[in-house]
């Protein structure tokens, strides 16, 4: 069971490293891409980002649900469910906000849409950061037992 918690924590650390890089470096840099290069840039971004993020997000969804369902003994009961709820927040935000914004940006550069992407992406950034904090706390707690 401890291994399940460690793997969840490792996935969370990977995803917060990725999302903080996207939040602070990558998305704000969208505004630096010219109109002539935009279509190729955005297509490459979307394709490459899918490779980097999809498998870890699916693994996190499955393993986070498993950890929450196993509950009390390792996951601190409600804390395991709170950590899993944060996964669901990240997934919901990705599907309902980030992907539609990217779909609209595929048509061409738009400073308003880029600003919306940067601003709204804080939801995922905070969700994954909180999830890692909860899992780190649980890992410390179980190590002390």
């Amino acid at each position: 069971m401890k291994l399940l918690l460690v793997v969840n924590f490792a996935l969370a650390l990977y995803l917060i490293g990725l999302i903080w890089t996207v939040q602070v470096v990558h998305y704000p840099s969208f505004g630096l891409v010219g109109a002539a290069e935009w279509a190729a840039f955005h297509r490459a971004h979307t394709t490459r980002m899918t490779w980097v993020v999809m498998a870890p997000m699916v693994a996190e969804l499955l393993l986070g649900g498993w950890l929450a369902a196993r509950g009390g003994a390792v996951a601190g009961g409600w804390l395991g469910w709170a950590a899993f709820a944060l996964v669901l927040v990240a997934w919901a935000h990705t599907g309902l906000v980030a992907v539609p914004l990217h779909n609209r940006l595929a048509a061409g550069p738009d400073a308003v849409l880029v600003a919306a992407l940067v601003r709204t992406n804080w939801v995922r950034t905070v969700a994954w950061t909180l999830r890692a904090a909860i899992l780190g706390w649980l890992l410390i707690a179980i190590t002390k037992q």
Side-chain angles (χ1 to χ4, degrees):
M1 196 60 183
K2 184 176 178 181
L3 178 60
L4 180 58
L5 181 56
V6 169
V7 172
N8 268 270
F9 185 57
L11 283 166
L13 290 178
Y14 172 83
L15 287 165
I16 65 168
L18 179 61
I19 200 66
W20 274 97
T21 301
V22 167
Q23 180 65 41
V24 175
V25 178
H26 196 61
Y27 280 172
S29 298
F30 277 22
L32 302 175
V33 179
E37 300 86 12
W38 180 261
F41 164 78
H42 193 263
R43 189 171 40 256
H45 160 79
T46 303
T47 301
R48 292 173 181 161
M49 195 57 80
T50 298
W51 283 103
V52 171
V53 76
M54 187 54 70
M57 281 183 69
V58 169
E60 182 185 48
L61 180 67
L62 297 173
L63 294 172
W66 185 14
L67 181 66
R70 293 297 301 261
V74 170
W78 70 272
L79 284 175
W81 285 107
F84 184 60
L86 292 165
V87 172
L88 298 178
V89 167
W91 271 82
H93 187 276
T94 299
L96 298 173
V97 179
V99 169
L101 283 170
H102 276 288
N103 289 342
R104 291 174 62 195
L105 282 166
D110 183 322
V112 172
L113 292 177
V114 170
L117 190 62
V118 172
R119 185 180 64 256
T120 62
N121 193 59
W122 281 109
V123 172
R124 294 189 299 179
T125 304
V126 169
W128 270 316
T129 301
L130 289 174
R131 175 173 163 71
I134 290 169
L135 294 172
W137 187 87
L138 288 170
L139 196 55
I140 290 168
I142 195 171
T143 303
K144 290 182 178 181
Q145 291 179 350

